[in-house]
Amino acid sequence: MYKTRRSRSVDPPLVVDLDGTLVRTDILFESFFLLLSSSPWKAIEAIAALPRGRAALKSQIANQAALDFTALPFNDDVRNFVETEHRRGRKIYLASATDERYVRAVADGMGIFDGVFGSNGTLNLAGSVKATSLCEAFGAGGFDYIGDASVDEDVWRKARNVYVADARPSHLAEIRIWAPNAQAIGMRRVQIEDYLRAIRIHQWLKNLLVFVPAIAAHELVAELGAVLLAFLSFSLCASSVYILNDLLDLKNDRAHSRKKNRPFASGRVPILHGVLLFPLLLLGSLVLALFLPFEFLQALVGYYALTCAYSFYLKKKLLIDVTVLACLYGSRLWAGAAAIGAALSPWLIAFAIFIFFCLALVKRCSELIDRLQKSKQDPAGRAYRLGDLPALQFMAAASGAVSPLVLALYLNSESVRALYTYPDRLWIVCIILLFWISRVLLLTQRGEMHDDPVVFAATDRTSLLSAAACSGAILISI
């Protein structure tokens, strides 16, 4: 179960928990979502082992999923404390309910542990079971223990000294009732900003597209209630998808220069909270959709199904991924039209195809340019190579150039003359759009583009001024 090493310290062994303590994540969820992302059927087969117990489930997943333990979000406070104790010559052990193979891999990678304790396929090393195992190895009161959760109480009660990692003030106060000398290693404080980032509330800007059909038809005032409800429903649905995608893409996010700071990838929001959040958000979205026409619900379900297909499979397929991304942008227009019972204009459909395909390609170009600037290899989890960049840039430029052309053709149609008193003034919009797309392409080439062009547009001063100018041009044309 463990091996010994000569120690220069008179202190008893220090035993460290893994999940939520040494690392700010849960290895079981990590490995499951990794397996679900790479081999969904194997993940489903692994769940079939659950009737035999949690240890059997963990063992089945460990047989299939190979984690990159060097990329895990370590708790620096705990890690520094443990490394300091190791340098003092103290014996250090890693004990976790995680499958023993994973525990040993983490221990081997750090190189400071004298032994490991972990679940073995039949024995789930958690709570009282862990306490018993440690008492058999070191004796009651013969070790110090660092844990983080209520399930660790059985072990803390058998330990000489109690250490609480990322302690919540209320939890630490409860522990000190029966362990007055319990020490905190870092304090946990709930950061609402992290949860807002997790649901990607800034990405709700994309869902403003549901307003476009009502604006284009000059029916926004009459249909404002329905459009606002559609916006909220679609936003909750999109947030549900974003969370699921983040859980499936933890490995790739941690290899990305910016995405590694996302709440789940960085460990600032527990994976378990994401597991609970994404179905709740989806349920809220569906409840709101029931107050809108059935066609809106169809658009919402279609969006969710396509996004799930993208998350599980299509995002790894060459060019299919950007085509799907463009369709996901377009689905917001479909949903907006369905919410007010209107049909999408063929002109709007054509414009959306080209502008959204351009933005999807810009997203991929920015990722490749970022890797080139950092001298990294081809991106993991994607079908693109660094050598594909010139072709992708050409396609983005071609698609982007066509979208103002479609708009120009639309300005000469009878539909415009029927809706606008001064249609010639709308040429201002066409010119601004051509300028904005050209600037986006140039900034992407320079490596100054955010990996999400919509987020860039919402935070870029020139883009906001361009949007304001377009809105003004439309208003003076009515």
Side-chain angles (χ1 to χ4, degrees):
M1 181 74 88
Y2 62 94
K3 59 183 180 180
T4 61
R5 181 192 298 169
R6 192 173 183 179
S7 173
R8 300 184 304 274
S9 173
V10 296
D11 289 325
L14 175 64
V15 182
V16 187
D17 183 36
L18 179 59
D19 296 342
T21 301
L22 182 61
V23 295
R24 298 180 185 275
T25 189
D26 186 296
I27 302 297
L28 174 59
F29 286 122
E30 284 265 349
S31 53
F32 175 75
F33 280 108
L34 175 62
L35 185 59
L36 186 63
S37 174
S38 58
S39 304
W41 291 114
K42 290 182 179 179
I44 295 173
E45 290 175 359
I47 294 176
L50 189 56
R52 302 199 305 272
R54 291 174 62 88
L57 171 65
K58 295 172 183 178
S59 178
Q60 186 68 21
I61 294 175
N63 289 337
Q64 305 288 345
L67 288 174
D68 179 8
F69 296 99
T70 62
L72 292 177
F74 281 84
N75 184 324
D76 290 335
D77 292 330
V78 174
R79 187 172 188 168
N80 293 337
F81 179 84
V82 171
E83 289 177 342
T84 299
E85 293 300 298
H86 169 70
R87 286 192 294 270
R88 291 179 56 238
R90 191 174 187 183
K91 289 184 177 181
I92 312 292
Y93 293 84
L94 188 61
S96 173
T98 296
D99 187 86
E100 187 174 12
R101 286 165 288 181
Y102 286 156
V103 182
R104 192 171 298 280
V106 174
D108 291 345
M110 293 187 66
I112 64 174
F113 291 98
D114 293 86
V116 301
F117 298 79
S119 299
N120 59 14
T122 57
L123 185 70
N124 187 45
L125 198 78
S128 60
V129 176
K130 182 189 287 188
T132 299
S133 295
L134 295 179
C135 287
E136 290 175 352
F138 309 116
F143 61 95
D144 293 348
Y145 182 70
I146 308 176
D148 73 293
S150 299
V151 70
D152 293 312
E153 182 173 339
D154 289 329
V155 185
W156 277 324
R157 287 184 178 274
K158 298 295 183 181
R160 186 194 68 160
N161 287 323
V162 172
Y163 296 94
V164 186
D166 276 353
R168 298 187 307 275
S170 59
H171 187 210
L172 184 61
E174 292 175 3
I175 294 172
R176 283 179 171 166
I177 293 174
W178 52 267
N181 296 321
Q183 300 179 49
I185 304 179
M187 298 295 290
R188 181 187 307 170
R189 291 177 174 83
V190 176
Q191 298 291 336
I192 299 300
E193 295 83 357
D194 290 331
Y195 286 87
L196 293 178
R197 287 188 63 202
I199 66 174
R200 309 264 196 99
I201 197 166
H202 60 282
Q203 296 282 13
W204 287 18
L205 288 169
K206 296 177 181 178
N207 302 324
L208 291 174
L209 290 170
V210 302
F211 288 84
V212 171
I215 294 173
H218 292 188
E219 296 180 7
L220 180 59
V221 175
E223 300 288 354
L224 185 59
V227 177
L228 286 173
L229 195 60
F231 171 78
L232 183 56
S233 175
F234 212 96
S235 295
L236 293 177
C237 180
S239 290
S240 172
V241 171
Y242 288 138
I243 290 176
L244 178 59
N245 186 66
D246 282 354
L247 295 177
L248 293 170
D249 220 23
L250 288 169
K251 177 181 177 181
N252 294 328
D253 283 353
R254 290 185 182 133
H256 193 278
S257 60
R258 286 186 291 267
K259 294 179 181 179
K260 66 182 180 181
N261 296 317
R262 286 178 173 176
F264 296 112
S266 64
R268 290 197 299 274
V269 174
I271 294 179
L272 177 60
H273 292 189
V275 173
L276 298 174
L277 270 174
F278 86 81
L280 287 176
L281 289 169
L282 179 60
L283 178 61
S285 171
L286 293 174
V287 169
L288 293 177
L290 296 177
F291 295 93
L292 292 167
F294 180 71
E295 289 75 12
F296 174 81
L297 181 60
Q298 288 180 311
L300 193 70
V301 172
Y303 167 82
Y304 195 84
L306 185 59
T307 309
C308 287
Y310 173 83
S311 297
F312 282 102
Y313 183 68
L314 298 179
K315 67 182 177 183
K316 303 173 185 177
K317 297 301 177 181
L318 186 69
L319 293 180
I320 294 177
D321 63 331
V322 290
T323 304
V324 171
L325 282 176
C327 291
L328 292 175
Y329 282 116
S331 65
R332 292 164 167 86
L333 298 177
W334 175 28
I340 63 173
L344 283 176
S345 162
W347 290 108
L348 183 57
I349 295 173
F351 174 78
I353 288 173
F354 292 107
I355 188 66
F356 294 150
F357 190 64
C358 171
L359 294 179
L361 287 166
V362 163
K363 182 179 177 70
R364 289 292 174 259
C365 288
S366 67
E367 293 171 353
L368 293 179
I369 290 172
D370 178 72
R371 298 189 72 84
L372 277 173
Q373 291 179 335
K374 293 179 170 60
S375 300
K376 293 184 178 181
Q377 301 299 315
D378 295 337
R382 295 286 185 262
Y384 300 97
R385 304 170 185 170
L386 296 178
D388 296 331
L389 181 58
L392 292 174
Q393 289 175 313
F394 173 78
M395 288 185 284
S399 182
V402 171
S403 55
L405 175 60
V406 173
L407 180 59
L409 294 173
Y410 169 66
L411 296 182
N412 285 312
S413 69
E414 293 297 327
S415 301
V416 171
R417 294 184 177 88
L419 291 171
Y420 295 91
T421 306
Y422 306 102
D424 290 344
R425 297 176 183 177
L426 291 173
W427 282 98
I428 298 173
V429 177
C430 192
I431 295 170
I432 294 174
L433 179 64
L434 184 61
F435 157 77
W436 184 79
I437 291 174
S438 300
R439 182 171 178 270
V440 164
L441 294 171
L442 186 57
L443 292 179
T444 302
Q445 168 65 31
R446 293 179 177 179
E448 299 175 12
M449 175 58 57
H450 191 281
D451 53 90
D452 191 327
V454 174
V455 174
F456 165 81
T459 56
D460 173 61
R461 180 182 176 184
T462 301
S463 298
L464 294 174
L465 289 174
S466 298
C470 289
S471 299
I474 293 172
L475 288 175
I476 64 174
S477 302
I478 297 177

